[in-house]
Amino acid sequence: MRLAGSLREGATATDLVLTVTEILRKLGVVGKFVEFFGPGVPQLPLADRATIANMAPEYGATCGLFPIDQETLAYLRVSGRSQESIALVEIYCREQGLFATADTPEAQYSKIVDLDMSSIEPCVAGPRRPQERVPLPQIKKSFEAALPSLTRPKKSDSAQAASAGGAHPSLKHGSLVLAAITSCTNTSNPSVLLAAGLLAKKAVERGLASQPWVKTSLAPGSQVVTAYLKAAGLLPHLETLGFHVVAYGCTTCIGNSGPLAAPISQAIEERSLVVASVLSGNRNFEGRVHPEVRANYLASPPLVVAFALAGRVDINLDEEPLGRDRAGQPVFLRDIWPSQAEIQAALAAVQPAMFKQAYATVFEGDARWRGIQVPQAATYAWDEGSSYVKHPPYFVDMPAKPAVTSELGGMRVLAVLGDGITTDHISPAGSIKPDSPAGRYLTGLGIQPKDFNSYGSRRGNHEVMVRGTFANIRIKNLLARGTEGGLTRYLPGREVMPIYDAAMKYQADQVPLLVLAGRDYGCGSSRDWAAKGTRLLGVRAVLAESFERIHRSNLVGMGVVPLEFLPGDSAHSLGLDGEEIFETLGLPQFLETPPAHRQIAIRITRPDGSQDHFAVRVRIDTQQESLYYQHGGILPYVLRSLSELCQS
């Protein structure tokens, strides 16, 4: 992507990256290396470059990269690296031809997309995906247009009437309940963090406050952020608006915001409200941020503060005020938005000594960390009583040699899914519902719902994670039409049950499983449990219109075959409703000598006994992946390889 120009007044690195994500997702860069170059790059701070590169999973690329240049060296200096290290980086990169200068010739690319950064305007992305960019003045119209698709089934009229004057009567569709400055990349970018602090300072000086129903938080990506916000005198103003430092790490962006206040949850439930979150994270996929929040928007840190002041997302911030000052005068966003000059002046607070001090003891931890008793042993000492870390089943009854690869036959469909199924749909990281299979498992261990924590925190326990696979509260399985959440039909009958329960019944009957899906299956973050959980449910193949690169690779790594419909084919066009029984024809031969067209046949048997055939592409793309699959996955392959090495 050729970058030209520079960001105009009022635009931030977050606005730039959301625009880049929209452009590249429309273009289609799955499996591509995206390099950013051009006359605009030298003026782009390294933190802004990192913000763009870190969104590669969201725009679908294998990676996003920038050249090494003088700005790289400047960052190494300001972040406290030694002069020797900086000199080594420069000398090595120049010798290798990796150091970019004004005289560096343009490389040859398979495709070039041009972007003039002066065209970037303030924006957000949502309510469901990072590529759904919305210019800031249009968020009100965008939310109102999306509302019908977000609305929950309404309660009865009596329940509506009973709650009309109940908890938080001021809450309505579009009310903001979460405002989080979060995400490792955006909250390690000094320009946007200081902009948030400056906006907070101006808001406090005008007498504005965050709305009382908004849960606010600040989770920096580094302790250095706290240091320079304090040095600039801005942290107290953020705290006045409720943006206290809550953690250094993944919080709201991965579903760790914690519960909403009980009256707010009650109002959402009783009145079937579509409430919103605004966060400075990378991902806003369905069901990821909070189970009670259906509209989620990505925005720059200063905009997160602004929306907290407004208390809603159905607002045109160009025309409607954020609030009123002490004199009763309206205060608009433009009145308190910091200028580029103010941000540049505040950047003087960022000093190399802060980085040196913060990272000098980074591996020591606090007193609680240092107080953990660690058994001294050559291997990990499994605690049978732990509900967080359990011995995984990947090597149970594993033979010394892999079995001969055979066709996959008799596969029942576990789920029929649509387009854009994310790894968050497949393996959620957020809260665990008490009435879910994972919740019932934890309850059976004597754990109270308040102590469930999240799927992400319990990813060391396969019993929790397999029960959470396909348990996203927003996932829609067309095999169980009219339902939402991790439900399916146990075939050949009509009974609807949790996907985990059905999978265990199929396993008891030794029935292998298949998942049918649409385009871009597995997009989003590279979550290994999306593949691990799929395999542990007994799924042997996923048949989709297309795959996101990382998840496709992870499926192969867990011994699950990614199969792709040929162009123009889909479950719908082939008349597949999920009640068929599937069988591969030619898979063992493919693994021995992949044909040039990389296709095999699928035979289906319909409920009436009739059969049909169609061709699919096998997305085992390399010889190494073929070896992984024949071993049952990368883990058995590595263990067997180590065993052979020890014996030789």
Side-chain angles (χ1 to χ4, degrees):
M1 175 173 273
R2 184 191 287 116
L3 301 179
S6 59
L7 294 175
R8 67 190 189 192
E9 193 73 42
T12 69
T14 310
D15 303 319
L16 172 58
V17 75
L18 294 179
T19 304
V20 167
T21 300
E22 178 190 40
I23 292 170
L24 293 181
R25 185 52 83 169
K26 285 181 178 177
L27 177 65
V29 293
V30 173
K32 308 294 185 184
F33 284 46
V34 177
E35 182 169 3
F36 297 88
F37 74 104
V41 169
Q43 289 75 42
L44 200 63
L46 189 135
D48 292 3
R49 301 178 188 184
T51 303
I52 296 170
N54 194 57
M55 285 284 273
E58 283 63 59
Y59 47 78
T62 299
C63 65
L65 59 121
F66 282 82
I68 300 167
D69 59 6
Q70 289 294 342
E71 175 59 26
T72 312
L73 303 181
Y75 175 79
L76 294 177
R77 292 188 192 96
V78 79
S79 57
R81 268 61 168 194
S82 69
Q83 290 301 318
E84 292 79 6
S85 295
I86 298 170
L88 177 61
V89 169
E90 181 174 7
I91 293 169
Y92 177 84
C93 292
R94 286 186 183 277
E95 287 295 322
Q96 296 296 325
L98 299 175
F99 199 88
T101 68
D103 299 325
T104 302
E106 185 176 299
Q108 292 184 338
Y109 301 101
S110 59
K111 189 174 185 65
I112 294 177
V113 180
D114 287 288
L115 176 62
D116 183 352
M117 291 188 288
S118 65
S119 68
I120 301 300
E121 59 186 337
C123 60
V124 298
R128 294 185 179 92
R129 299 180 189 280
Q131 63 265 35
E132 296 172 340
R133 190 185 69 86
V134 182
L136 189 59
Q138 296 178 23
I139 185 173
K140 182 176 183 177
K141 291 182 179 179
S142 174
F143 174 79
E144 291 171 347
L147 184 58
S149 67
L150 298 168
T151 304
R152 303 170 60 217
K154 290 187 176 181
K155 298 289 183 181
S156 64
D157 291 340
S158 59
Q160 291 271 344
S163 64
H168 270 287
S170 55
L171 283 185
K172 59 185 182 64
H173 289 323
S175 291
L176 184 73
V177 296
L178 285 174
I181 301 176
T182 180
S183 165
C184 56
T185 315
N186 281 306
T187 55
S188 292
N189 186 329
S191 66
V192 291
L193 263 296
L194 290 166
L198 289 167
L199 188 143
K201 179 176 183 291
K202 294 185 178 189
V204 170
E205 290 171 347
R206 294 291 296 270
L208 300 183
S210 296
Q211 296 300 325
W213 55 83
V214 182
K215 185 173 185 176
T216 51
S217 62
L218 167 59
S222 168
Q223 294 179 7
V224 175
V225 175
T226 306
Y228 63 65
L229 285 174
K230 286 181 178 177
L234 299 176
L235 188 60
H237 301 292
L238 284 164
E239 291 175 340
T240 298
L241 297 181
F243 289 92
H244 295 266
V245 174
V246 296
Y248 297 97
C250 297
T251 54
T252 304
C253 53
I254 200 170
N256 289 341
S257 67
L260 300 175
I264 293 175
S265 292
Q266 180 184 347
I268 294 169
E269 176 63 25
E270 289 180 350
R271 306 208 292 276
S272 300
L273 296 177
V274 176
V275 295
S277 75
V278 175
L279 62 153
S280 62
N282 288 12
R283 295 155 190 154
N284 56 338
F285 302 123
E286 290 181 298
R288 177 185 176 98
V289 175
H290 194 283
E292 295 172 331
V293 180
R294 287 178 172 256
N296 302 283
Y297 293 89
L298 305 182
S300 65
L303 281 180
V304 172
V305 177
F307 277 104
L309 299 173
R312 59 193 179 100
V313 297
D314 57 339
I315 181 172
N316 183 334
L317 291 176
D318 276 3
E319 300 176 355
E320 300 177 65
L322 296 170
R324 294 186 177 272
D325 63 14
R326 295 184 184 91
Q329 295 301 308
V331 180
F332 291 86
L333 179 61
R334 58 181 174 270
D335 298 330
I336 60 173
W337 190 267
S339 67
Q340 292 287 0
E342 290 172 315
I343 295 170
Q344 285 302 313
L347 282 169
V350 183
Q351 295 295 321
M354 296 174 177
F355 291 86
K356 293 178 180 178
Q357 181 178 353
Y359 290 102
T361 57
V362 69
F363 295 113
E364 293 183 8
D366 61 14
R368 291 171 298 175
W369 175 262
R370 294 193 298 270
I372 296 175
Q373 299 298 312
V374 181
Q376 299 300 311
T379 57
Y380 183 75
W382 299 99
D383 179 0
E384 293 299 325
S386 174
S387 60
Y388 279 90
V389 181
K390 292 187 72 68
H391 194 296
Y394 309 122
F395 307 116
V396 174
D397 299 326
M398 187 189 86
K401 298 290 183 182
V404 176
T405 305
S406 59
E407 301 284 9
L408 300 177
M411 290 185 288
R412 281 284 184 189
V413 175
L414 184 64
V416 180
L417 307 172
D419 296 335
I421 295 298
T422 70
T423 50
D424 279 277
H425 284 117
I426 303 167
S427 182
S431 59
I432 301 171
K433 293 174 62 177
D435 61 349
S436 67
R440 292 195 295 271
Y441 164 79
L442 292 172
T443 300
L445 297 179
I447 299 170
Q448 298 297 314
K450 66 181 180 66
D451 297 319
F452 279 2
N453 214 321
S454 64
Y455 285 109
S457 68
R458 292 189 180 272
R459 57 181 173 241
N461 183 344
H462 63 278
E463 296 287 5
V464 171
M465 298 306 290
V466 68
R467 287 167 170 80
T469 305
F470 296 112
N472 184 294
I473 56 175
R474 302 284 181 262
I475 196 170
K476 294 179 176 64
N477 181 2
L478 300 180
L479 203 55
R481 288 185 181 274
T483 67
E484 187 178 60
L487 299 172
T488 193
R489 278 174 42 218
Y490 179 70
L491 300 172
R494 310 295 300 177
E495 184 181 2
V496 175
M497 63 182 67
I499 282 179
Y500 171 79
D501 294 347
M504 293 306 101
K505 292 187 70 170
Y506 284 125
Q507 283 195 24
D509 295 336
Q510 297 184 319
V511 175
L513 300 173
L514 176 139
V515 170
L516 285 174
R519 297 188 300 272
D520 300 327
Y521 183 78
C523 55
S525 51
S526 81
R527 187 162 300 161
D528 58 345
W529 265 110
K532 289 179 181 175
T534 297
R535 183 66 183 87
L536 292 179
L537 285 177
V539 175
R540 302 305 308 278
V542 176
L543 176 54
E545 291 178 52
S546 65
F547 289 89
E548 200 81 346
R549 181 194 64 85
I550 298 174
H551 185 60
R552 181 207 62 78
S553 177
N554 286 348
L555 286 173
V556 176
M558 288 307 301
V560 178
V561 182
L563 302 172
E564 209 166 74
F565 288 107
L566 298 186
D569 284 353
S570 66
H572 177 73
S573 71
L574 295 173
L576 307 176
D577 60 12
E579 299 205 27
E580 305 84 1
I581 295 174
F582 287 72
E583 179 184 2
T584 64
L585 300 174
L587 182 60
Q589 294 85 349
F590 173 93
L591 295 169
E592 288 180 11
T593 309
H597 51 66
R598 308 193 67 80
Q599 296 176 14
I600 63 170
I602 294 290
R603 177 165 60 203
I604 60 167
T605 303
R606 303 185 188 276
D608 62 5
S610 63
Q611 292 188 332
D612 202 354
H613 300 76
F614 57 90
V616 297
R617 284 189 69 207
V618 180
R619 289 301 313 277
I620 297 177
D621 291 351
T622 67
Q623 186 58 42
Q624 191 63 47
E625 286 188 341
S626 179
L627 284 174
Y628 293 159
Y629 177 77
Q630 291 176 72
H631 277 262
I634 190 171
L635 298 176
Y637 171 82
V638 169
L639 188 59
R640 290 188 180 108
S641 298
L642 290 173
S643 177
E644 291 176 4
L645 186 63
C646 292
Q647 294 172 11
S648 61

